[in-house]
Amino acid sequence: MCGIVAYIGKKEAYPILIKGLKRLEYRGYDSAGISLVNQGLKVYKCKGKVSDLEGFAAGKDISGSVGIGHTRWATHGEPNDVNAHPHFSGNENLAIIHNGIIENYDSLKKELIQRGHTFKSDTDTEVLIHLIEDVQANENLPLAEAVRVALTQVIGAYAIAVLDKNDPEVIIGAKKGSPMVVGLGKDEYFLASDATPIVEYTKDVVYLEDEQIVELRPGHEIKIRNIENEVLTPYIQELELHLEALEKGGYEHFMLKEIFEQPKSIADSMRGRFHVESSDVSLGGIIDYEQKMATAKRIIIVACGTSWHAGLVGEYLIEDLARIPVEVEYASEFRYRNPIVHEDDVVIAISQSGETADTLAALELAKSKGATIIGVCNVVGSSISRITDAGSYTHAGPEIGVASTKAFTSQVTVLLLMALRLAHKKGAIPESRFQRILAALEKIPQQVEETLKSAALVEHISAEYKDARNFLYLGRGYNFPVALEGALKLKEISYIHAEGYPAAEMKHGPIALIDEEMPVVVIATSKGSYEKVISNIQEVKARKGKIIVVVTKGDKTAAELADHVIEIPETEEELVPILASVPLQLLSYYIAVMRGCNVDQPRNLAKSVTVE
Ligand code: F6R
């Protein structure tokens, strides 16, 4: 959470920073601010979005070719103008932006107050810049060294950029636990939380590792040191990101664009990874660990939110196809409950961003206990992808809408390929079943395209239920995680309370909620427990609930019982979650739009949750 961006070079910094902040706004949008070196240090910041900051800065002096910018997701201190970043040091010679949490800020603050510092905001970040100022003044150090020494006293996570009025030709960056990438241009440098603000200026980037400090001075080579003050050689990589992927491309919202991108994103997730003719699946990233995975006593999947739902589908797939026991854990619970992890366990982390703090910490814990750790991430070069022993990227392309859509279907696709690969290696499923699933998988992008044609129908259904106060989503087997995911999508972007339930569990409690006011979405596709789901639909109907069913094309029985019917093409049971989640994404999208909600930036949420 929180996005940071910085520029130093010959161009005007302000437009670069504002554009960069708009790209990073998915990381938080409680407040925004910039600082520019311009005959001293100027700071402009306010509560609200980057567009509010633009309004605030309009007419003010925004010249200068060195600057830092921040978009905030509040942790310490409510979202207001004062707590917005950048923060000044006490003497206003230094300005800082920060993503992360300084855990020992309270004790540091008390010490600094004793030494005469006074604070304007409630933030941990202001404490850090006062600490840097304190070190700089007491030890008479240049900025880079003062930052390094100050950071040796800090417990917590940070990605920071610091400006110094008295040394206006330099930006100092540092990171631990929060991401930071440096862009290397001609006589100019960029620094940001991810590469999206950088990609249109340069493709040469350096991803900083934890506890590294970078000194950016145009006309000089990039300088990186670690917290122990050892000089390091930068590893320059070429970005594989394309600018078009970051634009809305004619869609009203990123979320809608990303929903409609799924035929392509799913095809990209499976590209080159299987061949129907030769009956072969291969995932290059895990090839050296396949044996370990196939013989693991247990696989533990750790993830959060939507990625956790993909993990549940993964559990069903891996157990069903490869016959390896799987447990799926919320990363936030796993990391704190003293779990039993053996050296012969394999832990798979699923994460779109690859930066989720709880997932990262769960992996570190598993690693410390000797387990093999595997990643299923979307963002290339992300923190999770870098600490894992091996992994398979989902290749869904940048996902900017805060509600995850195409990342989910790509995660499920990769988990299916993983399950198939392990099943094949173990000889756990008959060749005929293996081939049937591969043949069905090949058709999936085209079938998602077909499913998307139901958008107008789903929009029509949405109009009828947009004012509902509650929704229930039911599914069994492979469709249970789809029900959970459908409910999460609705609540996060439309703020309607929604519950996902295994259909058979309904009678153990939630059935009490059903009346004529309650829309119930049932995923009732033809394979698996179809007849049992039909009975569950009957139970809802008997209590006058409004029934919206997602069924296999041509279905008659469920369709006759329901108020509304959405059809998806026929496929193998293992692949249904990919198709069935698409109309549920559309349902949440249209309802949220009709309720006037900010679909791409729902309240209180941020896309990359880098705090616990
Ligand atoms: C929901 C959503 C979140 C994320 C969760 C994990 O639409 O996007 O629930 O799935 O914050 O994020 P990643 O996958 O980046 O680890």
Side-chain angles (χ1 to χ4, degrees):
M1 0 269 288
C2 298
I4 65 170
V5 58
Y7 173 77
I8 185 162
K10 294 201 168 69
K11 301 186 183 114
E12 280 300 298
Y14 179 79
I16 295 172
L17 297 177
I18 291 291
K19 202 171 194 186
L21 287 179
K22 287 189 173 160
R23 295 247 162 87
L24 292 171
E25 224 170 4
Y26 72 88
R27 302 178 68 88
Y29 30 82
D30 289 335
S31 63
I34 51 163
S35 178
L36 295 160
V37 178
N38 166 7
Q39 292 161 2
L41 269 185
K42 301 241 167 21
V43 168
Y44 304 121
K45 58 182 187 173
C46 62
K47 183 176 173 196
K49 305 215 159 143
V50 179
S51 53
D52 297 306
L53 173 66
E54 283 181 287
F56 180 75
K60 301 196 170 75
D61 181 1
I62 48 166
S63 58
S65 55
V66 182
I68 55 180
H70 187 269
T71 177
R72 179 168 187 244
W73 187 85
T75 55
H76 291 69
E78 66 173 278
N80 59 26
D81 295 351
V82 178
N83 289 333
H85 298 212
H87 289 282
F88 270 134
S89 56
N91 57 15
E92 302 206 348
N93 283 343
L94 309 178
I96 189 171
I97 48 173
H98 169 216
N99 167 31
I101 292 184
I102 308 300
E103 287 169 15
N104 59 335
Y105 86 101
D106 198 35
S107 57
L108 291 171
K109 189 171 185 174
K110 284 185 183 126
E111 283 171 33
L112 287 163
I113 289 172
Q114 274 178 4
R115 292 210 285 277
H117 289 258
T118 55
F119 293 90
K120 297 192 173 87
S121 77
D122 308 318
T123 64
D124 50 341
T125 307
E126 194 186 9
V127 176
L128 178 56
I129 195 65
H130 277 247
L131 179 65
I132 295 170
E133 173 191 13
D134 200 71
V135 171
Q136 195 185 33
N138 291 340
E139 302 186 27
N140 197 19
L141 295 174
L143 181 62
E145 187 54 6
V147 169
R148 187 188 69 78
V149 173
L151 289 176
T152 59
Q153 300 176 43
V154 159
I155 300 169
Y158 52 80
I160 56 168
V162 185
L163 294 180
D164 186 348
K165 182 161 110 180
N166 297 323
D167 189 359
E169 292 288 294
V170 71
I171 291 180
I172 305 298
K175 82 142 241 158
K176 182 183 174 193
S178 300
M180 177 171 276
V181 54
V182 178
L184 287 65
K186 193 171 170 329
D187 289 332
E188 60 185 2
Y189 288 110
F190 305 80
L191 182 154
S193 299
D194 70 29
T196 58
I198 297 176
V199 62
E200 65 199 272
Y201 308 105
T202 177
K203 293 261 178 196
D204 293 333
V205 295
V206 174
Y207 287 95
L208 285 198
E209 299 289 339
D210 278 353
E211 302 203 318
Q212 292 187 348
I213 295 128
V214 65
E215 186 172 335
L216 303 174
R217 230 176 246 283
H220 294 76
E221 300 274 290
I222 174 176
K223 245 193 229 165
I224 301 180
R225 287 172 310 146
N226 63 16
I227 202 130
E228 278 90 36
N229 208 13
E230 292 158 338
V231 176
L232 305 167
T233 310
Y235 170 52
I236 302 173
Q237 285 175 265
E238 195 173 327
L239 273 183
E240 281 179 20
L241 187 65
H242 298 287
L243 202 53
E244 315 81 70
L246 307 175
E247 314 280 349
K248 279 193 204 149
Y251 285 91
E252 203 181 329
H253 296 100
F254 278 111
M255 183 180 175
L256 191 62
K257 175 185 175 228
E258 287 156 9
I259 292 173
F260 273 85
E261 265 172 7
Q262 288 176 109
K264 177 172 183 312
S265 53
I266 294 167
D268 288 345
S269 301
M270 51 201 208
R271 193 178 310 287
R273 289 174 161 174
F274 74 97
H275 300 281
V276 182
E277 308 75 45
S278 54
S279 192
D280 179 36
V281 173
S282 76
L283 289 160
I286 57 163
I287 217 154
D288 295 339
Y289 285 82
E290 270 174 20
Q291 183 63 19
K292 186 117 202 182
M293 292 174 81
T295 54
K297 282 222 184 74
R298 178 174 69 147
I299 290 177
I300 304 169
I301 297 179
V302 291
C304 303
T306 289
S307 298
W308 185 80
H309 296 154
L312 281 184
V313 181
E315 175 186 24
Y316 288 29
L317 289 168
I318 296 170
E319 291 204 342
D320 187 10
L321 300 174
R323 307 307 296 155
I324 304 167
V326 180
E327 287 168 22
V328 188
E329 300 259 7
Y330 285 115
S332 54
E333 287 298 313
F334 179 80
R335 62 181 288 198
Y336 285 120
R337 67 169 181 77
N338 195 14
I340 299 167
V341 182
H342 300 293
E343 286 186 2
D344 49 9
D345 284 334
V346 169
V347 177
I348 302 178
I350 306 174
S351 175
Q352 187 286 128
S353 63
E355 302 294 345
T356 301
D358 283 322
T359 311
L360 197 54
L363 269 194
E364 276 160 357
L365 175 72
K367 193 175 189 162
S368 73
K369 292 183 183 273
T372 299
I373 57 173
I374 305 287
V376 175
C377 295
N378 192 36
V379 177
V380 176
S382 53
S383 301
I384 291 176
S385 67
R386 278 182 290 139
I387 74 154
T388 45
D389 295 312
S392 296
Y393 282 116
T394 47
H395 295 308
E399 190 180 66
I400 294 168
V402 164
S404 192
T405 52
K406 65 174 181 170
F408 174 75
T409 46
S410 284
Q411 287 165 343
V412 173
T413 304
V414 169
L415 289 165
L416 172 65
L417 288 168
M418 239 178 219
L420 283 170
R421 178 69 205 130
L422 298 178
H424 213 214
K425 195 165 177 68
K426 287 183 68 176
I429 54 169
E431 191 62 24
S432 55
R433 185 172 177 205
F434 186 77
Q435 283 191 352
R436 237 185 9 252
I437 298 174
L438 282 191
L441 188 56
E442 194 171 42
K443 285 199 215 144
I444 281 286
Q446 210 281 319
Q447 291 186 317
V448 172
E449 191 86 61
E450 211 178 314
T451 307
L452 286 164
K453 293 195 182 128
S454 65
L457 167 69
V458 177
E459 189 174 8
H460 179 76
I461 298 170
S462 305
E464 198 159 319
Y465 296 102
K466 69 177 181 10
D467 297 319
R469 293 170 57 84
N470 298 287
F471 259 78
L472 198 57
Y473 286 73
L474 303 176
R476 288 179 93 124
Y478 282 105
N479 287 330
F480 162 50
V482 177
L484 291 178
E485 176 58 9
L488 177 65
K489 284 290 86 84
L490 187 72
K491 60 189 148 195
E492 69 181 326
I493 60 167
S494 72
Y495 319 140
I496 296 176
H497 171 245
E499 297 268 3
Y501 251 83
E505 276 292 304
M506 179 185 62
K507 56 187 166 299
H508 299 287
I511 198 163
L513 296 168
I514 295 175
D515 60 16
E516 55 280 2
E517 303 275 292
M518 175 70 100
V520 184
V521 179
V522 191
I523 306 115
T525 46
S526 65
K527 309 231 168 76
S529 320
Y530 179 72
E531 282 77 21
K532 300 204 183 305
V533 177
I534 295 295
S535 308
N536 300 136
I537 295 175
Q538 296 275 20
E539 290 155 12
V540 176
K541 197 171 172 66
R543 284 147 189 97
K544 300 195 168 52
K546 295 278 178 282
I547 302 164
I548 302 161
V549 285
V550 177
V551 295
T552 309
K553 199 169 185 173
D555 175 282
K556 293 272 176 297
T557 316
E560 266 169 25
L561 294 169
D563 297 276
H564 305 277
V565 183
I566 304 165
E567 291 189 335
I568 60 170
E570 170 136 34
T571 185
E572 293 297 316
E573 192 188 356
E574 298 81 356
L575 293 160
V576 168
I578 299 177
L579 297 182
S581 53
V582 173
L584 305 192
Q585 296 166 349
L586 288 168
L587 186 70
S588 63
Y589 171 79
Y590 288 119
I591 290 181
V593 170
M594 287 170 196
R595 289 166 69 92
C597 301
N598 186 338
V599 171
D600 282 336
Q601 296 174 345
R603 70 183 179 208
N604 305 336
L605 290 172
K607 185 141 192 79
S608 179
V609 186
T610 55
V611 296
E612 37 174 306

